[in-house]
Amino acid sequence: MRMLLFSWLVFAWVAVAATRSHTNNWAVIVCTSRFWFNYRHVANALSMYRTVKRLGIPDSQILLLLADDIACNPRNAFPGTVYNNADRALDLYGESVEVDYRGYDVTVENFIRLLTDRFDPDTPRSKRLLTDDRSNIFIYMTGHGGNEFLKFQDAEEISAHDIADAFAQMYEKRRYNEIFFMIDTCQANTMYSHFYSPNILAVGSSELDESSYSHHADIDIGVAVIDRFTYYNLEFLENVSRTSNLTLADLFNSYDSEEIASHPGIRTDLYQRDLSDVLITDFFGNVQEVEIDSSKPRGLLSLLNQQIKQAK
Amino acid sequence: MKWFAIIAALVGIRFLLFLYCKQLLAVLENNVAISTPLTSYQYLLEGLFYYSRNLEIYNGGIYHQSPILLYVMNLLDATGYIDLLSYMLWITLDVVSALALASMDDFRPLTAVIYLANPFTIASLLARSTLIFTSTAILMSLATAKRRRAVLAMTFLAVATHFSLYPAALLPPVMYMSVGSRLSLYSFAKTFFVFVAATSTCMALSYAIAGSWHFLKFYKVSLLFQELKPNIGIWWYFFVEMFDFFMPFFLSVFNLHVFIYSLPLTIRLRHDPLFAAVTVLGLHAMFKPYPSIGDISLYLSLLPLYSRIYTQLKYAWVALLALAYASILTPTFYHLWIVLGSGNANFFYAITLTYVIAMTTIISDTLWAVLRLQFDDGASSKQVIQT
Amino acid sequence: MKLPALYALVLALAPGGLANAYDERLDITPLTGEHWLVSFDFNLSSAVSHHHQLFPRVLEGVLASSNASELHLRFGQGYWDADNWGLTPNNGANVAGTGVELWARIAADSYPDAEASWFSLANSLSGMFCASLNFIDSAHTTSPKSVLGAFDTNHSLYLFHGSLPSEPVCTENLTPYLKLLPCKGAAGVSSLLDGHHLFESQWQSMSIDLSVEDGRLHLRQSIYAVLHVDRTLERRINPVPEPEPYEAVKCDSSRDYSNPQNGICYPRIPGIGEINVTLSDLFGSPIKNGACLSKITSKSPQICLHIPSDNWSVTASDELSPAIKSVDQICYVIPPDSDFDLSIHSETRESVLPKTPSPILASRHLVGWGQERGGFHSVYKSTSGDSPVSFVTYEVLPWFMRVYLHSFTYTLFDSAGAEVATGSFSASNVSSDIAQLLYYKPAQPRVSPSHIEMLLTIPAGSKLVTMYQFEKSLLYYNEYPPDANRGFDISPAIVEVLTDSSSPRAVFRTTSSLLSLPTPDFSMPYNVIILTSTVIALAFGTIFNLVTRTFVYAEDLPKQSLAKKLRAKLSKITSMFS
């Protein structure tokens, strides 16, 4: 009798404690601008790429889309490099970089196919987003945008509805656990206004009718090298390490619209967890866990152990 | 006698221009208003190059015309004087066209002179646009049909249709003309049979020359609009700027539009089917996929046959001025877009729209005049309206 | 103790051995005083059977899934100055043209099957090498007939070639390239390879050649780069490209007026005089060594300098003595345990070894003005003094260049510059002894490109100038790239010089070309549809009215006031519904 009571208590505890959490992390980083004067957008994207790589996400789980080749551009006075700061202390391109979609390959169609996994049979694995329902995905987009649209390469546009529908398809196909959507363009907050699928957290750099500004330029490179919103995000993320306990609430509280020169927006109504419980590393870092298939009957104790480990 | 001298002079000018103005010939040969992908002499020479080397002609490449032309040009090339002989062939066809026109008008020399003196005709000849084969065949067909020579009319029409697909729209008026008063299903069927037989002969000849049925691909180029080259028509810019998704829809609509006028016009103008044919030719000059000024000159040269309607025309000056305006600005705006790069495609496109408006004015005006005269022969000067 | 010995015995006795054969080398050849050619060559042969310890498995998988028996991939940028630098390394067999190029031999039962395998090969490689090889579709694919090894044909093997001249080449292509090497670029000669220095060079070429022979896979990777030594050295001091401060400029003392004390300094021509450079200066680091390299190969890597050893002196780290020292080269065997650096010094850097001249110097460029038509003008100069040179040219032109091959003409000039012969591919002469059309496949719009192969022969010391014209097409709205006004890249022509013996042909590529096409106004789709439809409706409506309505005399119509007319119309409409 006591055994029965104990096991019921344990089940109750497990039911409460076993919140869904992720077992793997992916990142999709998109720079949609072409041409040399959009150096800063490539630098934005590569900064985020470096951050997620530093915090543990492997190249095989990062999809980097760069619409133009900046590092080896003939205009680049420093061949093979991309800097995000005029002090040129950190070369973002570095020794080892994997760009999955580059140049003319970065199109609205390819981006939506990537998100919804409706691919050509010949598409190589490194170009596909192979997520499942326990994947946390960090999606970062930067470029030129406007009221509910984002320009791809000066030739086409993706609208807020397109992205919202793509996310809805992902939800139907159970392709994500949670999505953190960050966008740095002009009037960026309008891009997430039409999302309607659950478990999406969105951050934009500026309100409707507000532009997002660049931070500073490098005299020797000749163009602006980083945007303000991304710059202040990076300033915070520099302090995050793989074992850090900093949360998204800390990140969002660090935003100062005076410094950013625009009003970043955060959309949390589709997101269930409290932001002060969400670690930065839940999206920017990498967790590699194995979820044992629970279809076979398992011993109670091993099941309990497994759930405790996941809840940590 | 005076007329004979004028005609001889016009033919002589053509020879002189050939002999002494080679630069002009080269410029006209490349002009988009005169040569289209289906009628260009340069493309013909390229096709001849493939033919003489036994290369696959119609699988790719730029030659989109009948194999019979290749065979004829190959014969001329074998002599080594292809330049001179081809030019003489073109002049001969021009003279034949002028004669055919005159014969439709009781051999009034003025009609032939108007045709030969028309600058569009001269320019088309100097550029050696292969449209002349089609035009001559059409004029011969109309001339023989007027004389009720059904077999000849249908043969010439079949030849014209073989060279470019669109004279098939002339089938209703020409059949009606050649059948004349013997209106019965039997006579219609007989003429249609002649047409089919002549077409089959042309196809068989082409098959023999080309060696396979691949030559039929050149019809596909017109129907599916596979060559995207600027010309004075309205198809090219429309298809350039259109979204992919609508391609099949608009291809069908535009193609339908080209053929849709001929039967209704024939029925309405059954008292004067020649005018139905003339109007259809005018509409083709606007709505064909690859029109050129040769088509316009063909239409304008047929209008003097109806000199009696001139008093009824309301917009003659407006239309002719618009046509002149468009003709002057076509090479200018094309040059501005393509060579200088200081204008853009919209300039040239605007001129193509002006052409259509000018031609629409002429066609509708002449059509109104003919119908007006049909109503009461111009006997009364009372105002007539349509309801 | 006995067990390892037994194991070694088994290894020694096993047929073909389980060991892979790997060797690597670096050659440094000063081409002129300031341009130095560095050549990295890596050769790996796999063992028979599938014991691939070193062989990159991913490549083997790619070969197997596409049924390819041969694979060649090239990445290149820059300009090789054949006039001053001679023939490219290894007779040009592993040298890239501009952009990315791929060719492969695929075994299949039918052409459509082979083509499908080819496209899937291009797609897999695009993921592997971070290059947009997925753009190689049928409009970019040809089957060469007389170049790239096409002549040794086995009829069940299909040779495909695709080229993307507008592809950039950057660190993301170098990273996976280095990962194919056994030490992944961390040790050995490959540790010198760094994107910053490689992509700063005047000309670079990265190649991968993979073939299957007797059940063994052979992989050859070569990276060639021409470094501008002065610029490289300057960058180490000041990364920002700036002119030297006045005080640092070296004056040319051979000019008597050039005397800094008088305030006149004629700057010395670069590439002359003294030079002192180490491998670390050139590449950013010395050759790193570690356990990795010694574990995989018994053949130590070699580094060779091809210099006249009289005027140059080379010192190696740890005072190592050269393995080979002759009048025209100094070679070292790199020791397996420590880092290795070389110090190269000369007082007269401009004294370099004579270069093998290229048998012909070829250049091809676009001529013409305007966006309607143009021409391709090629100049071939023979550098040999005594015998005629025959060579095959292979040109692939995108389908929107509508070629007029009947306009092809050639003109031959002798060594004095006088015109000796002219001709064309006219219909009457099928072939001439100077220019012969070997193969021509005209382009099918949007399906396949134009493919032209010619055999040209020039007498000794002569120059051949060829020219043919083409017409430029207008494209559909969505066929233009986002930067449509930049133009479209045309892949380089491949020229292979024929040799009598079985020695390999000298291969080289001309420069790529940039073709500007006429563009429509991209902001106009709706406007054009509206305007054209309006004009058509105007015509249709007018003629429809004329044809369907009847004529009446105006005065015969009952005169009605406007109100009565409207009431009549209204009653007509209501009667329709009742």
Side-chain angles (χ1 to χ4, degrees):
Chain A
M1 188 60 200
R2 249 189 301 166
M3 202 54 204
L4 200 61
L5 187 62
F6 177 66
S7 55
W8 276 115
L9 278 173
V10 159
F11 267 118
W13 183 86
V14 158
V16 162
T19 50
R20 268 179 71 84
S21 69
H22 64 292
T23 60
N24 56 88
N25 286 82
W26 286 72
V28 177
I29 298 171
V30 187
C31 161
T32 61
S33 297
R34 167 168 280 275
F35 304 121
W36 174 249
F37 50 81
N38 291 318
Y39 185 108
R40 64 189 186 282
H41 295 144
V42 174
N44 289 350
L46 284 170
S47 308
M48 284 301 171
Y49 172 73
R50 283 282 153 204
T51 305
V52 297
K53 254 179 89 155
R54 177 174 63 83
L55 294 174
I57 304 186
D59 266 320
S60 54
Q61 281 166 218
I62 303 177
L63 279 154
L64 181 59
L65 288 74
L66 297 179
D68 202 358
D69 168 42
I70 292 293
C72 294
N73 193 310
R75 282 187 166 90
N76 196 342
F78 307 94
T81 67
V82 177
Y83 296 112
N84 67 353
N85 200 304
D87 64 13
R88 292 196 290 271
L90 171 66
D91 169 25
L92 297 173
Y93 227 60
E95 312 289 317
S96 149
V97 65
E98 189 182 293
V99 182
D100 301 293
Y101 287 82
R102 64 176 191 173
Y104 298 139
D105 233 354
V106 178
T107 59
V108 172
E109 183 187 339
N110 281 346
F111 178 62
I112 296 186
R113 278 186 188 280
L114 184 166
L115 287 179
T116 54
D117 207 32
R118 297 165 87 144
F119 54 91
D120 260 338
D122 279 336
T123 312
R125 285 179 73 87
S126 62
K127 283 172 134 178
R128 287 171 54 191
L129 188 64
L130 299 165
T131 52
D132 55 30
D133 65 331
R134 305 305 284 265
S135 306
N136 273 9
I137 314 178
F138 168 57
I139 300 180
Y140 176 81
M141 301 184 77
T142 180
H144 289 287
N147 189 358
E148 295 185 10
F149 71 88
L150 172 61
K151 245 185 2 167
F152 266 68
Q153 299 209 44
D154 208 27
E156 33 172 22
E157 296 164 359
I158 192 171
S159 79
H161 291 281
D162 294 331
I163 305 184
D165 291 337
F167 285 169
Q169 278 198 48
M170 288 173 79
Y171 181 69
E172 293 297 318
K173 288 188 186 180
R174 303 177 53 160
R175 278 168 59 71
Y176 68 92
N177 177 43
E178 287 175 350
I179 290 181
F180 179 33
F181 180 77
M182 185 186 268
I183 179 162
D184 186 354
T185 71
C186 299
Q187 303 184 59
N189 296 354
T190 57
M191 281 305 278
Y192 58 66
S193 54
H194 290 286
F195 293 168
Y196 54 92
S197 313
N199 296 331
I200 300 179
L201 175 66
V203 161
S205 59
S206 52
E207 283 294 328
L208 176 66
D209 289 331
E210 250 191 357
S211 298
S212 290
Y213 297 93
S214 64
H215 190 262
H216 65 273
D218 179 329
I219 291 283
D220 297 306
I221 294 176
V223 283
V225 293
I226 188 83
D227 278 333
R228 298 193 95 94
F229 179 67
T230 307
Y231 179 86
Y232 289 108
N233 270 294
L234 289 172
E235 225 178 42
F236 182 88
L237 291 168
E238 291 303 304
N239 302 323
V240 177
S241 66
R242 289 190 200 202
T243 54
S244 166
N245 282 325
L246 290 169
T247 64
L248 283 182
D250 298 330
L251 171 64
F252 297 152
N253 289 336
S254 75
Y255 289 166
D256 177 358
S257 3
E258 290 282 316
E259 286 193 321
I260 298 179
S262 58
H263 295 92
I266 305 156
R267 183 170 177 185
T268 53
D269 60 317
L270 296 166
Y271 194 68
Q272 290 166 2
R273 295 201 278 160
D274 187 56
L275 290 178
S276 46
D277 291 333
V278 182
L279 296 177
I280 302 260
T281 50
D282 279 353
F283 286 103
F284 287 81
N286 188 32
V287 160
Q288 297 275 27
E289 286 209 359
V290 172
E291 185 177 58
I292 301 166
D293 184 3
S294 54
S295 59
K296 285 208 186 115
R298 295 243 143 237
L300 179 61
L301 216 52
S302 63
L303 181 65
L304 188 59
N305 274 335
Q306 184 190 309
Q307 297 291 18
I308 289 172
K309 228 202 305 188
Q310 280 184 344
K312 274 217 187 106
Chain B
M1 210 51 215
K2 166 178 79 159
W3 290 115
F4 184 72
I6 296 177
I7 292 175
L10 285 168
V11 175
I13 288 177
R14 285 157 159 78
F15 267 112
L16 286 172
L17 285 170
F18 169 68
L19 290 170
Y20 295 111
C21 293
K22 286 279 167 35
Q23 278 278 58
L24 179 65
L25 259 63
V27 167
L28 290 175
E29 233 167 54
N30 294 327
N31 191 312
V32 281
I34 309 175
S35 320
T36 67
L38 299 184
T39 57
S40 166
Y41 183 68
Q42 283 290 330
Y43 285 30
L44 177 58
L45 288 180
E46 182 71 9
L48 199 56
F49 180 81
Y50 296 3
Y51 183 67
S52 63
R53 292 177 157 265
N54 285 317
L55 290 169
E56 186 63 57
I57 305 172
Y58 292 98
N59 223 2
I62 55 178
Y63 182 69
H64 303 297
Q65 301 169 48
S66 163
I68 297 177
L69 263 179
L70 277 183
Y71 185 75
V72 167
M73 295 303 287
N74 198 30
L75 289 175
L76 296 181
D77 196 30
T79 63
Y81 292 100
I82 186 173
D83 221 17
L84 177 65
L85 286 176
S86 63
Y87 202 68
M88 287 180 60
L89 174 62
W90 256 255
I91 294 183
T92 314
L93 288 172
D94 224 17
V95 170
V96 167
S97 306
L99 284 174
L101 261 174
S103 79
M104 282 194 267
D105 202 12
D106 296 323
F107 288 101
R108 196 160 65 114
L110 184 61
T111 320
V113 166
I114 290 176
Y115 174 76
L116 288 172
N118 189 337
F120 286 176
T121 317
I122 299 179
S124 216
L125 175 86
L126 291 175
R128 270 174 291 183
S129 158
T130 59
L131 189 67
I132 200 159
F133 290 90
T134 315
S135 305
T136 310
I138 291 176
L139 286 172
M140 291 296 291
S141 164
L142 289 174
T144 48
K146 197 152 190 249
R147 284 173 163 59
R148 310 282 158 88
R149 309 283 284 275
V151 173
L152 275 175
M154 283 301 152
T155 313
F156 280 120
L157 189 64
V159 169
T161 310
H162 173 76
F163 278 123
S164 70
L165 199 54
Y166 297 93
L170 289 175
L171 206 53
V174 172
M175 261 170 58
Y176 201 84
M177 269 172 31
S178 44
V179 155
S181 52
R182 307 186 307 274
L183 286 170
S184 69
L185 201 59
Y186 172 69
S187 48
F188 275 118
K190 209 171 61 165
T191 48
F192 189 71
F193 174 73
V194 175
F195 179 76
V196 169
T199 310
S200 318
T201 319
C202 288
M203 292 293 178
L205 269 173
S206 302
Y207 176 78
I209 296 169
S212 70
W213 289 111
H214 282 169
F215 75 90
L216 290 171
K217 286 195 184 151
F218 84 87
Y219 291 126
K220 252 181 43 172
V221 172
S222 326
L223 287 172
L224 298 182
F225 199 64
Q226 288 177 334
E227 283 280 344
L228 201 61
K229 192 162 180 238
N231 51 62
I232 58 170
I234 47 169
W235 285 54
W236 63 279
Y237 206 49
F238 192 90
F239 281 88
V240 163
E241 297 274 8
M242 177 178 66
F243 300 132
D244 239 358
F245 180 73
F246 298 107
M247 194 76 78
F249 171 70
F250 279 114
L251 270 175
S252 356
V253 166
F254 274 59
N255 268 310
L256 195 66
H257 189 79
V258 173
F259 288 100
I260 208 173
Y261 290 96
S262 110
L263 196 56
L265 278 171
T266 313
I267 295 172
R268 184 67 176 87
L269 292 164
R270 51 192 181 278
H271 71 291
D272 190 0
L274 178 62
F275 193 73
V278 170
T279 309
V280 168
L281 283 171
L283 288 164
H284 278 187
M286 291 196 288
F287 296 133
K288 259 168 69 156
Y290 304 101
S292 62
I293 61 175
D295 296 291
I296 298 180
S297 86
L298 179 63
Y299 174 67
L300 291 176
S301 315
L302 282 164
L303 287 179
L305 295 171
Y306 290 88
S307 46
R308 62 189 162 94
I309 65 172
Y310 289 169
T311 49
Q312 298 290 338
L313 294 175
K314 294 186 280 191
Y315 306 111
W317 277 114
V318 171
L320 285 172
L321 283 174
L323 203 57
Y325 167 90
S327 312
I328 293 169
L329 285 180
T330 305
T332 317
F333 282 164
Y334 187 73
H335 186 81
L336 220 60
W337 170 33
I338 292 288
V339 179
L340 295 182
S342 57
N344 65 12
N346 295 334
F347 290 59
F348 185 70
Y349 169 63
I351 296 302
T352 63
L353 292 180
T354 316
Y355 256 129
V356 174
I357 291 174
M359 290 294 288
T360 307
T361 316
I362 300 178
I363 291 171
S364 55
D365 208 17
T366 50
L367 187 59
W368 192 91
V370 166
L371 291 174
R372 165 81 179 82
L373 289 177
Q374 177 207 357
F375 177 62
D376 68 354
D377 264 341
S380 147
S381 58
K382 287 189 273 190
Q383 187 196 15
V384 170
I385 58 172
Q386 285 192 305
T387 56
Chain C
M1 226 41 216
K2 273 202 195 144
L3 208 55
L6 198 60
Y7 190 61
L9 192 64
V10 167
L11 271 175
L13 290 177
L18 288 170
N20 295 277
Y22 175 72
D23 73 271
E24 58 178 40
R25 59 180 291 137
L26 166 62
D27 292 90
I28 299 181
T29 315
L31 296 168
T32 67
E34 34 177 6
H35 293 116
W36 287 19
L37 170 68
V38 296
S39 317
F40 295 81
D41 285 299
F42 309 96
N43 277 295
L44 177 61
S45 301
S46 80
V48 179
S49 79
H50 295 281
H51 292 269
H52 299 300
Q53 300 146 304
L54 309 172
F55 207 89
R57 240 173 254 208
V58 57
L59 271 186
E60 195 204 336
V62 157
L63 269 188
S65 63
S66 58
N67 294 318
S69 68
E70 223 179 282
L71 177 70
H72 306 272
L73 184 57
R74 302 274 185 274
F75 301 86
Q77 287 293 334
Y79 173 61
W80 175 270
D81 185 358
D83 257 328
N84 294 318
W85 303 345
L87 198 53
T88 43
N90 196 19
N91 269 338
N94 308 97
V95 159
T98 311
V100 175
E101 205 178 324
L102 173 70
W103 69 96
R105 249 188 237 284
I106 296 184
D109 299 323
S110 68
Y111 187 82
D113 289 341
E115 218 189 9
S117 299
W118 162 252
F119 294 142
S120 95
L121 173 68
N123 273 297
S124 339
L125 290 174
S126 91
M128 257 180 76
F129 289 100
C130 299
S132 312
L133 285 162
N134 48 308
F135 284 135
I136 293 182
D137 55 5
S138 66
H140 289 89
T141 305
T142 51
S143 293
K145 296 282 182 271
S146 27
V147 293
L148 300 175
F151 40 85
D152 32 55
T153 44
N154 172 343
H155 287 287
S156 65
L157 289 177
Y158 295 88
L159 177 64
F160 289 103
H161 175 262
S163 170
L164 297 170
S166 53
E167 273 297 299
V169 179
C170 205
T171 314
E172 66 261 25
N173 304 117
L174 182 62
T175 310
Y177 186 95
L178 290 177
K179 291 214 173 89
L180 296 176
L181 298 171
C183 289
K184 312 274 187 280
V189 146
S190 56
S191 63
L192 295 177
L193 286 167
D194 161 48
H196 303 96
H197 292 86
L198 187 61
F199 298 116
E200 201 192 356
S201 53
Q202 297 282 95
W203 172 85
Q204 83 263 14
S205 152
M206 306 196 307
S207 69
I208 296 174
D209 294 281
L210 192 55
S211 57
V212 180
E213 228 175 84
D214 306 325
R216 297 171 77 112
L217 288 167
H218 300 277
L219 172 63
R220 182 193 170 132
Q221 291 176 258
S222 302
I223 295 189
Y224 304 123
V226 171
L227 304 176
H228 190 290
V229 176
D230 292 299
R231 237 179 267 154
T232 313
L233 295 176
E234 270 162 27
R235 230 179 234 289
R236 281 188 75 80
I237 304 168
N238 178 12
V240 179
E242 276 171 356
E244 283 183 295
Y246 183 73
E247 300 74 40
V249 171
K250 295 192 179 58
C251 304
D252 186 352
S253 50
S254 69
R255 289 164 202 269
D256 51 359
Y257 56 80
S258 173
N259 186 349
Q261 283 156 349
N262 298 346
I264 301 172
C265 177
Y266 192 98
R268 201 171 56 181
I269 296 169
I272 292 180
E274 193 196 347
I275 183 137
N276 249 318
V277 74
T278 65
L279 286 182
S280 313
D281 291 333
L282 286 179
F283 297 105
S285 75
I287 295 179
K288 296 203 186 62
N289 264 306
C292 170
L293 201 56
S294 47
K295 268 199 239 160
I296 60 171
T297 176
S298 50
K299 280 188 262 184
S300 287
Q302 264 203 331
I303 172 169
C304 278
L305 289 123
H306 300 271
I307 40 181
S309 43
D310 297 334
N311 309 19
W312 294 71
S313 70
V314 183
T315 329
S317 56
D318 296 332
E319 307 286 325
L320 197 68
S321 60
I324 303 170
K325 183 164 179 172
S326 68
V327 70
D328 61 357
Q329 66 172 330
I330 301 178
C331 294
Y332 290 85
V333 170
I334 300 171
D337 307 314
S338 52
D339 288 356
F340 183 80
D341 203 349
L342 279 181
S343 174
I344 307 165
H345 169 79
S346 171
E347 295 292 330
T348 51
R349 63 198 282 195
E350 66 273 18
S351 69
V352 294
L353 291 177
K355 283 144 312 252
T356 330
S358 180
I360 45 164
L361 298 170
S363 83
R364 183 185 75 162
H365 32 269
L366 289 170
V367 293
W369 72 96
Q371 292 179 330
E372 191 186 32
R373 58 196 66 246
F376 251 140
H377 184 254
S378 308
V379 178
Y380 305 97
K381 243 188 282 191
S382 157
T383 55
S384 101
D386 43 10
S387 51
V389 186
S390 283
F391 53 96
V392 179
T393 65
Y394 165 79
E395 292 180 86
V396 176
L397 308 172
W399 65 263
F400 44 79
M401 291 172 69
R402 319 307 300 279
V403 176
Y404 292 133
L405 210 57
H406 74 273
S407 64
F408 176 85
T409 54
Y410 65 82
T411 315
L412 188 66
F413 297 90
D414 64 15
S415 41
E419 198 180 291
V420 165
T422 61
S424 68
F425 288 151
S426 70
S428 38
N429 51 324
V430 173
S431 80
S432 81
D433 51 2
I434 295 175
Q436 194 184 327
L437 185 65
L438 287 179
Y439 183 77
Y440 176 49
K441 181 161 184 272
Q444 280 182 291
R446 300 175 184 85
V447 172
S448 65
S450 296
H451 174 183
I452 309 173
E453 293 187 25
M454 292 187 239
L455 173 66
L456 301 169
T457 309
I458 8 179
S462 309
K463 179 170 86 165
L464 183 69
V465 173
T466 67
M467 156 88 142
Y468 58 88
Q469 290 170 0
F470 59 84
E471 209 176 73
K472 304 185 192 182
S473 291
L474 195 61
L475 305 177
Y476 289 122
Y477 186 92
N478 59 348
E479 287 175 344
Y480 286 95
D483 50 355
N485 289 303
R486 173 184 176 269
F488 293 75
D489 290 276
I490 317 288
S491 12
I494 300 181
V495 179
E496 285 193 8
V497 180
L498 302 180
T499 53
D500 299 321
S501 54
S502 58
S503 53
R505 299 171 162 189
V507 180
F508 45 93
R509 288 164 174 76
T510 62
T511 49
S512 62
S513 314
L514 190 63
L515 182 76
S516 66
L517 288 184
T519 54
D521 185 342
F522 293 106
S523 63
M524 289 280 281
Y526 296 112
N527 302 349
V528 168
I529 293 175
I530 289 170
L531 286 169
T532 305
S533 308
T534 307
V535 153
I536 296 178
L538 202 69
F540 180 83
T542 319
I543 294 174
F544 181 82
N545 274 337
L546 282 170
V547 163
T548 52
R549 290 181 179 214
T550 53
F551 282 80
V552 288
Y553 284 120
E555 59 195 21
D556 290 347
L557 282 176
K559 290 236 189 322
Q560 280 179 320
S561 67
L562 187 62
K564 273 215 183 130
K565 267 196 238 177
L566 282 171
R567 230 175 285 156
K569 276 227 160 48
L570 207 59
S571 59
K572 224 175 28 169
I573 293 169
T574 48
S575 68
M576 269 201 286
F577 289 105
S578 64

